[in-house]
Amino acid sequence: GMRARDLLGKVTYVNPAFCQMVGFDEDELLGVSPPMPYWAPEEMERARAINEAMIHGHSSREGFEIQLMRKDGRRLDVLIYEAPLIDADGKHTGWMASVVDVTVRKEIEEIARKQQEKLQHTSRLVTMGEMASGIAHELNQPLSAIVSYNQACLRMLDDEHPDLELVEQAMRSTAQQATRAG
């Protein structure tokens, strides 16, 4: 949308695209001085400061983003570029603004940010699952060995003449595996 203001900030021109953006008719905007009816209350101080800077010739060449308020109260994010309005005699008569609605872009950026957060959360869960699986595997190995050594000891002790040296060896191996599991 396009909007022109005089040197004091009073609206002198709005095109249909700007009117559609903010939801006000041309006759509701022409001749209006700041504060503008489309300035969002939560952005009022910032809008006043930007307006004052523009009136004093300090508009940003890079433009600025601000949230405006439609007539129905809905908010829209816009990028505004202000440039001096020069008449045919080369006299500075006001300011012309190009207003670009970036609401959809901001919504897409927010969706992408949320998706990135979900992806990072999922990645952390996968990593924790892998760690838990690795720990379970590392615990399962010595626990299985302990069970095997224990069963071997019981079988050897059931013999009429158990080989106590082998039983002792199995018990030591059981202790090593228990320490490993710990």
Side-chain angles (χ1 to χ4, degrees):
M2 301 297 287
R3 174 201 65 204
R5 298 193 289 171
D6 67 14
L7 292 172
L8 297 176
K10 183 171 64 173
V11 177
T12 58
Y13 169 79
V14 288
N15 72 351
F18 182 79
C19 291
Q20 186 177 11
M21 262 187 231
V22 296
F24 289 92
D25 294 327
E26 179 181 7
D27 59 328
E28 293 177 286
L29 296 174
L30 291 179
V32 174
S33 294
M36 300 300 173
Y38 48 80
W39 286 0
E42 61 274 12
E43 293 274 19
M44 192 65 67
E45 290 309 311
R46 183 165 173 251
R48 284 183 197 275
I50 292 169
N51 183 67
E52 283 298 313
M54 185 226 25
I55 287 173
H56 292 95
H58 304 295
S59 64
S60 170
R61 294 273 181 225
E62 297 84 37
F64 59 92
E65 281 192 31
I66 194 165
Q67 194 171 70
L68 300 180
M69 182 176 67
R70 293 181 46 81
K71 187 176 182 178
D72 63 10
R74 289 183 294 149
R75 303 304 197 260
L76 69 148
D77 295 302
V78 296
L79 179 57
I80 300 177
Y81 295 96
E82 297 268 8
L85 190 57
I86 309 298
D87 69 9
D89 298 325
K91 183 180 174 192
H92 181 203
T93 60
W95 301 92
M96 177 60 76
S98 170
V99 183
V100 180
D101 185 346
V102 294
T103 304
V104 172
R105 185 197 82 199
K106 296 276 252 189
E107 288 170 354
I108 290 170
E109 287 172 355
E110 180 62 17
I111 289 169
R113 186 189 64 75
K114 286 180 179 177
Q115 287 176 338
Q116 184 64 30
E117 283 178 4
K118 284 181 184 177
L119 182 62
Q120 288 173 349
H121 178 72
T122 301
S123 177
R124 286 190 296 270
L125 288 176
V126 167
T127 300
M128 287 183 65
E130 289 171 351
M131 286 173 53
S133 175
I135 290 170
H137 178 74
E138 288 297 318
L139 279 174
N140 193 37
Q141 294 259 338
L143 293 176
S144 294
I146 290 169
V147 169
S148 294
Y149 290 134
N150 186 51
Q151 288 172 344
C153 285
L154 290 173
R155 272 195 314 274
M156 286 186 276
L157 290 173
D158 278 344
D159 284 349
E160 204 171 301
H161 301 293
D163 184 346
L164 294 179
E165 207 173 290
L166 278 177
V167 172
E168 181 185 349
Q169 222 177 345
M171 293 303 292
R172 287 188 191 286
S173 295
T174 301
Q176 286 175 339
Q177 293 301 318
T179 300
R180 179 178 169 209

mmCIF file with all atom_site columns, all heavy atoms in Angstrom, residues 14-30:
data_model
loop_
_atom_site.group_PDB
_atom_site.id
_atom_site.type_symbol
_atom_site.label_atom_id
_atom_site.label_alt_id
_atom_site.label_comp_id
_atom_site.label_asym_id
_atom_site.label_entity_id
_atom_site.label_seq_id
_atom_site.pdbx_PDB_ins_code
_atom_site.Cartn_x
_atom_site.Cartn_y
_atom_site.Cartn_z
_atom_site.occupancy
_atom_site.B_iso_or_equiv
_atom_site.pdbx_formal_charge
_atom_site.auth_seq_id
_atom_site.auth_comp_id
_atom_site.auth_asym_id
_atom_site.auth_atom_id
_atom_site.pdbx_PDB_model_num
ATOM 1   N N   . VAL A 1 14 ? -3.853  8.062  0.201  1.00 0.00 ? 14 VAL A N   1
ATOM 2   C CA  . VAL A 1 14 ? -3.775  6.621  0.469  1.00 0.00 ? 14 VAL A CA  1
ATOM 3   C C   . VAL A 1 14 ? -4.308  5.907  -0.765 1.00 0.00 ? 14 VAL A C   1
ATOM 4   O O   . VAL A 1 14 ? -5.271  6.359  -1.372 1.00 0.00 ? 14 VAL A O   1
ATOM 5   C CB  . VAL A 1 14 ? -4.589  6.201  1.718  1.00 0.00 ? 14 VAL A CB  1
ATOM 6   C CG1 . VAL A 1 14 ? -3.925  6.659  2.998  1.00 0.00 ? 14 VAL A CG1 1
ATOM 7   C CG2 . VAL A 1 14 ? -6.018  6.702  1.651  1.00 0.00 ? 14 VAL A CG2 1
ATOM 8   N N   . ASN A 1 15 ? -3.655  4.815  -1.144 1.00 0.00 ? 15 ASN A N   1
ATOM 9   C CA  . ASN A 1 15 ? -4.176  4.067  -2.279 1.00 0.00 ? 15 ASN A CA  1
ATOM 10  C C   . ASN A 1 15 ? -5.108  2.955  -1.778 1.00 0.00 ? 15 ASN A C   1
ATOM 11  O O   . ASN A 1 15 ? -5.154  2.661  -0.569 1.00 0.00 ? 15 ASN A O   1
ATOM 12  C CB  . ASN A 1 15 ? -3.039  3.538  -3.167 1.00 0.00 ? 15 ASN A CB  1
ATOM 13  C CG  . ASN A 1 15 ? -2.260  2.399  -2.532 1.00 0.00 ? 15 ASN A CG  1
ATOM 14  O OD1 . ASN A 1 15 ? -2.426  2.067  -1.371 1.00 0.00 ? 15 ASN A OD1 1
ATOM 15  N ND2 . ASN A 1 15 ? -1.378  1.795  -3.328 1.00 0.00 ? 15 ASN A ND2 1
ATOM 16  N N   . PRO A 1 16 ? -5.875  2.346  -2.681 1.00 0.00 ? 16 PRO A N   1
ATOM 17  C CA  . PRO A 1 16 ? -6.818  1.299  -2.259 1.00 0.00 ? 16 PRO A CA  1
ATOM 18  C C   . PRO A 1 16 ? -6.144  0.127  -1.533 1.00 0.00 ? 16 PRO A C   1
ATOM 19  O O   . PRO A 1 16 ? -6.728  -0.437 -0.609 1.00 0.00 ? 16 PRO A O   1
ATOM 20  C CB  . PRO A 1 16 ? -7.446  0.839  -3.583 1.00 0.00 ? 16 PRO A CB  1
ATOM 21  C CG  . PRO A 1 16 ? -7.336  2.026  -4.485 1.00 0.00 ? 16 PRO A CG  1
ATOM 22  C CD  . PRO A 1 16 ? -6.039  2.678  -4.110 1.00 0.00 ? 16 PRO A CD  1
ATOM 23  N N   . ALA A 1 17 ? -4.928  -0.223 -1.924 1.00 0.00 ? 17 ALA A N   1
ATOM 24  C CA  . ALA A 1 17 ? -4.236  -1.342 -1.273 1.00 0.00 ? 17 ALA A CA  1
ATOM 25  C C   . ALA A 1 17 ? -3.968  -1.019 0.201  1.00 0.00 ? 17 ALA A C   1
ATOM 26  O O   . ALA A 1 17 ? -4.141  -1.883 1.070  1.00 0.00 ? 17 ALA A O   1
ATOM 27  C CB  . ALA A 1 17 ? -2.926  -1.660 -1.991 1.00 0.00 ? 17 ALA A CB  1
ATOM 28  N N   . PHE A 1 18 ? -3.584  0.221  0.494  1.00 0.00 ? 18 PHE A N   1
ATOM 29  C CA  . PHE A 1 18 ? -3.357  0.611  1.887  1.00 0.00 ? 18 PHE A CA  1
ATOM 30  C C   . PHE A 1 18 ? -4.680  0.575  2.661  1.00 0.00 ? 18 PHE A C   1
ATOM 31  O O   . PHE A 1 18 ? -4.729  0.071  3.784  1.00 0.00 ? 18 PHE A O   1
ATOM 32  C CB  . PHE A 1 18 ? -2.717  2.003  1.968  1.00 0.00 ? 18 PHE A CB  1
ATOM 33  C CG  . PHE A 1 18 ? -2.427  2.430  3.377  1.00 0.00 ? 18 PHE A CG  1
ATOM 34  C CD1 . PHE A 1 18 ? -1.311  1.952  4.042  1.00 0.00 ? 18 PHE A CD1 1
ATOM 35  C CD2 . PHE A 1 18 ? -3.295  3.285  4.054  1.00 0.00 ? 18 PHE A CD2 1
ATOM 36  C CE1 . PHE A 1 18 ? -1.050  2.330  5.361  1.00 0.00 ? 18 PHE A CE1 1
ATOM 37  C CE2 . PHE A 1 18 ? -3.035  3.654  5.362  1.00 0.00 ? 18 PHE A CE2 1
ATOM 38  C CZ  . PHE A 1 18 ? -1.917  3.176  6.025  1.00 0.00 ? 18 PHE A CZ  1
ATOM 39  N N   . CYS A 1 19 ? -5.733  1.108  2.060  1.00 0.00 ? 19 CYS A N   1
ATOM 40  C CA  . CYS A 1 19 ? -7.044  1.097  2.718  1.00 0.00 ? 19 CYS A CA  1
ATOM 41  C C   . CYS A 1 19 ? -7.494  -0.328 3.016  1.00 0.00 ? 19 CYS A C   1
ATOM 42  O O   . CYS A 1 19 ? -8.014  -0.609 4.102  1.00 0.00 ? 19 CYS A O   1
ATOM 43  C CB  . CYS A 1 19 ? -8.083  1.806  1.838  1.00 0.00 ? 19 CYS A CB  1
ATOM 44  S SG  . CYS A 1 19 ? -7.804  3.584  1.707  1.00 0.00 ? 19 CYS A SG  1
ATOM 45  N N   . GLN A 1 20 ? -7.272  -1.228 2.075  1.00 0.00 ? 20 GLN A N   1
ATOM 46  C CA  . GLN A 1 20 ? -7.647  -2.632 2.282  1.00 0.00 ? 20 GLN A CA  1
ATOM 47  C C   . GLN A 1 20 ? -6.840  -3.245 3.421  1.00 0.00 ? 20 GLN A C   1
ATOM 48  O O   . GLN A 1 20 ? -7.368  -3.995 4.234  1.00 0.00 ? 20 GLN A O   1
ATOM 49  C CB  . GLN A 1 20 ? -7.440  -3.419 0.988  1.00 0.00 ? 20 GLN A CB  1
ATOM 50  C CG  . GLN A 1 20 ? -7.927  -4.842 1.077  1.00 0.00 ? 20 GLN A CG  1
ATOM 51  C CD  . GLN A 1 20 ? -7.774  -5.580 -0.249 1.00 0.00 ? 20 GLN A CD  1
ATOM 52  O OE1 . GLN A 1 20 ? -7.124  -5.096 -1.170 1.00 0.00 ? 20 GLN A OE1 1
ATOM 53  N NE2 . GLN A 1 20 ? -8.365  -6.748 -0.336 1.00 0.00 ? 20 GLN A NE2 1
ATOM 54  N N   . MET A 1 21 ? -5.546  -2.899 3.498  1.00 0.00 ? 21 MET A N   1
ATOM 55  C CA  . MET A 1 21 ? -4.692  -3.422 4.567  1.00 0.00 ? 21 MET A CA  1
ATOM 56  C C   . MET A 1 21 ? -5.215  -3.045 5.946  1.00 0.00 ? 21 MET A C   1
ATOM 57  O O   . MET A 1 21 ? -5.313  -3.882 6.830  1.00 0.00 ? 21 MET A O   1
ATOM 58  C CB  . MET A 1 21 ? -3.269  -2.848 4.435  1.00 0.00 ? 21 MET A CB  1
ATOM 59  C CG  . MET A 1 21 ? -2.295  -3.735 3.770  1.00 0.00 ? 21 MET A CG  1
ATOM 60  S SD  . MET A 1 21 ? -0.676  -2.954 3.913  1.00 0.00 ? 21 MET A SD  1
ATOM 61  C CE  . MET A 1 21 ? -0.180  -3.015 2.225  1.00 0.00 ? 21 MET A CE  1
ATOM 62  N N   . VAL A 1 22 ? -5.519  -1.754 6.127  1.00 0.00 ? 22 VAL A N   1
ATOM 63  C CA  . VAL A 1 22 ? -5.882  -1.263 7.457  1.00 0.00 ? 22 VAL A CA  1
ATOM 64  C C   . VAL A 1 22 ? -7.387  -1.278 7.713  1.00 0.00 ? 22 VAL A C   1
ATOM 65  O O   . VAL A 1 22 ? -7.819  -1.084 8.848  1.00 0.00 ? 22 VAL A O   1
ATOM 66  C CB  . VAL A 1 22 ? -5.303  0.145  7.721  1.00 0.00 ? 22 VAL A CB  1
ATOM 67  C CG1 . VAL A 1 22 ? -3.786  0.102  7.734  1.00 0.00 ? 22 VAL A CG1 1
ATOM 68  C CG2 . VAL A 1 22 ? -5.820  1.161  6.729  1.00 0.00 ? 22 VAL A CG2 1
ATOM 69  N N   . GLY A 1 23 ? -8.184  -1.501 6.659  1.00 0.00 ? 23 GLY A N   1
ATOM 70  C CA  . GLY A 1 23 ? -9.634  -1.618 6.831  1.00 0.00 ? 23 GLY A CA  1
ATOM 71  C C   . GLY A 1 23 ? -10.366 -0.294 6.940  1.00 0.00 ? 23 GLY A C   1
ATOM 72  O O   . GLY A 1 23 ? -11.561 -0.271 7.237  1.00 0.00 ? 23 GLY A O   1
ATOM 73  N N   . PHE A 1 24 ? -9.679  0.814  6.705  1.00 0.00 ? 24 PHE A N   1
ATOM 74  C CA  . PHE A 1 24 ? -10.320 2.130  6.731  1.00 0.00 ? 24 PHE A CA  1
ATOM 75  C C   . PHE A 1 24 ? -10.530 2.594  5.293  1.00 0.00 ? 24 PHE A C   1
ATOM 76  O O   . PHE A 1 24 ? -9.732  2.294  4.402  1.00 0.00 ? 24 PHE A O   1
ATOM 77  C CB  . PHE A 1 24 ? -9.438  3.160  7.453  1.00 0.00 ? 24 PHE A CB  1
ATOM 78  C CG  . PHE A 1 24 ? -9.357  2.953  8.937  1.00 0.00 ? 24 PHE A CG  1
ATOM 79  C CD1 . PHE A 1 24 ? -8.347  2.188  9.488  1.00 0.00 ? 24 PHE A CD1 1
ATOM 80  C CD2 . PHE A 1 24 ? -10.289 3.543  9.786  1.00 0.00 ? 24 PHE A CD2 1
ATOM 81  C CE1 . PHE A 1 24 ? -8.252  1.996  10.858 1.00 0.00 ? 24 PHE A CE1 1
ATOM 82  C CE2 . PHE A 1 24 ? -10.211 3.360  11.154 1.00 0.00 ? 24 PHE A CE2 1
ATOM 83  C CZ  . PHE A 1 24 ? -9.195  2.583  11.695 1.00 0.00 ? 24 PHE A CZ  1
ATOM 84  N N   . ASP A 1 25 ? -11.598 3.370  5.068  1.00 0.00 ? 25 ASP A N   1
ATOM 85  C CA  . ASP A 1 25 ? -11.835 3.963  3.753  1.00 0.00 ? 25 ASP A CA  1
ATOM 86  C C   . ASP A 1 25 ? -10.947 5.190  3.583  1.00 0.00 ? 25 ASP A C   1
ATOM 87  O O   . ASP A 1 25 ? -10.513 5.805  4.567  1.00 0.00 ? 25 ASP A O   1
ATOM 88  C CB  . ASP A 1 25 ? -13.302 4.383  3.608  1.00 0.00 ? 25 ASP A CB  1
ATOM 89  C CG  . ASP A 1 25 ? -14.260 3.199  3.600  1.00 0.00 ? 25 ASP A CG  1
ATOM 90  O OD1 . ASP A 1 25 ? -13.869 2.122  3.099  1.00 0.00 ? 25 ASP A OD1 1
ATOM 91  O OD2 . ASP A 1 25 ? -15.395 3.356  4.115  1.00 0.00 ? 25 ASP A OD2 1
ATOM 92  N N   . GLU A 1 26 ? -10.748 5.575  2.338  1.00 0.00 ? 26 GLU A N   1
ATOM 93  C CA  . GLU A 1 26 ? -9.912  6.737  2.021  1.00 0.00 ? 26 GLU A CA  1
ATOM 94  C C   . GLU A 1 26 ? -10.413 7.980  2.750  1.00 0.00 ? 26 GLU A C   1
ATOM 95  O O   . GLU A 1 26 ? -9.632  8.719  3.353  1.00 0.00 ? 26 GLU A O   1
ATOM 96  C CB  . GLU A 1 26 ? -9.918  6.964  0.499  1.00 0.00 ? 26 GLU A CB  1
ATOM 97  C CG  . GLU A 1 26 ? -9.110  8.150  0.051  1.00 0.00 ? 26 GLU A CG  1
ATOM 98  C CD  . GLU A 1 26 ? -9.166  8.358  -1.461 1.00 0.00 ? 26 GLU A CD  1
ATOM 99  O OE1 . GLU A 1 26 ? -9.933  7.663  -2.149 1.00 0.00 ? 26 GLU A OE1 1
ATOM 100 O OE2 . GLU A 1 26 ? -8.436  9.252  -1.931 1.00 0.00 ? 26 GLU A OE2 1
ATOM 101 N N   . ASP A 1 27 ? -11.741 8.203  2.746  1.00 0.00 ? 27 ASP A N   1
ATOM 102 C CA  . ASP A 1 27 ? -12.285 9.410  3.385  1.00 0.00 ? 27 ASP A CA  1
ATOM 103 C C   . ASP A 1 27 ? -12.120 9.394  4.908  1.00 0.00 ? 27 ASP A C   1
ATOM 104 O O   . ASP A 1 27 ? -12.165 10.441 5.546  1.00 0.00 ? 27 ASP A O   1
ATOM 105 C CB  . ASP A 1 27 ? -13.759 9.625  3.002  1.00 0.00 ? 27 ASP A CB  1
ATOM 106 C CG  . ASP A 1 27 ? -14.661 8.464  3.393  1.00 0.00 ? 27 ASP A CG  1
ATOM 107 O OD1 . ASP A 1 27 ? -14.199 7.312  3.388  1.00 0.00 ? 27 ASP A OD1 1
ATOM 108 O OD2 . ASP A 1 27 ? -15.843 8.724  3.726  1.00 0.00 ? 27 ASP A OD2 1
ATOM 109 N N   . GLU A 1 28 ? -11.889 8.217  5.503  1.00 0.00 ? 28 GLU A N   1
ATOM 110 C CA  . GLU A 1 28 ? -11.649 8.136  6.943  1.00 0.00 ? 28 GLU A CA  1
ATOM 111 C C   . GLU A 1 28 ? -10.192 8.471  7.285  1.00 0.00 ? 28 GLU A C   1
ATOM 112 O O   . GLU A 1 28 ? -9.883  8.729  8.448  1.00 0.00 ? 28 GLU A O   1
ATOM 113 C CB  . GLU A 1 28 ? -11.951 6.724  7.460  1.00 0.00 ? 28 GLU A CB  1
ATOM 114 C CG  . GLU A 1 28 ? -13.420 6.339  7.387  1.00 0.00 ? 28 GLU A CG  1
ATOM 115 C CD  . GLU A 1 28 ? -13.640 4.901  7.838  1.00 0.00 ? 28 GLU A CD  1
ATOM 116 O OE1 . GLU A 1 28 ? -13.293 3.981  7.062  1.00 0.00 ? 28 GLU A OE1 1
ATOM 117 O OE2 . GLU A 1 28 ? -14.143 4.715  8.966  1.00 0.00 ? 28 GLU A OE2 1
ATOM 118 N N   . LEU A 1 29 ? -9.314  8.437  6.276  1.00 0.00 ? 29 LEU A N   1
ATOM 119 C CA  . LEU A 1 29 ? -7.884  8.649  6.533  1.00 0.00 ? 29 LEU A CA  1
ATOM 120 C C   . LEU A 1 29 ? -7.358  9.988  6.041  1.00 0.00 ? 29 LEU A C   1
ATOM 121 O O   . LEU A 1 29 ? -6.460  10.563 6.664  1.00 0.00 ? 29 LEU A O   1
ATOM 122 C CB  . LEU A 1 29 ? -7.072  7.516  5.900  1.00 0.00 ? 29 LEU A CB  1
ATOM 123 C CG  . LEU A 1 29 ? -7.335  6.118  6.469  1.00 0.00 ? 29 LEU A CG  1
ATOM 124 C CD1 . LEU A 1 29 ? -6.586  5.066  5.663  1.00 0.00 ? 29 LEU A CD1 1
ATOM 125 C CD2 . LEU A 1 29 ? -6.953  6.059  7.935  1.00 0.00 ? 29 LEU A CD2 1
ATOM 126 N N   . LEU A 1 30 ? -7.893  10.498 4.933  1.00 0.00 ? 30 LEU A N   1
ATOM 127 C CA  . LEU A 1 30 ? -7.392  11.758 4.383  1.00 0.00 ? 30 LEU A CA  1
ATOM 128 C C   . LEU A 1 30 ? -7.609  12.897 5.376  1.00 0.00 ? 30 LEU A C   1
ATOM 129 O O   . LEU A 1 30 ? -8.679  13.044 5.957  1.00 0.00 ? 30 LEU A O   1
ATOM 130 C CB  . LEU A 1 30 ? -8.071  12.086 3.054  1.00 0.00 ? 30 LEU A CB  1
ATOM 131 C CG  . LEU A 1 30 ? -7.702  11.170 1.893  1.00 0.00 ? 30 LEU A CG  1
ATOM 132 C CD1 . LEU A 1 30 ? -8.445  11.576 0.626  1.00 0.00 ? 30 LEU A CD1 1
ATOM 133 C CD2 . LEU A 1 30 ? -6.208  11.141 1.644  1.00 0.00 ? 30 LEU A CD2 1
#
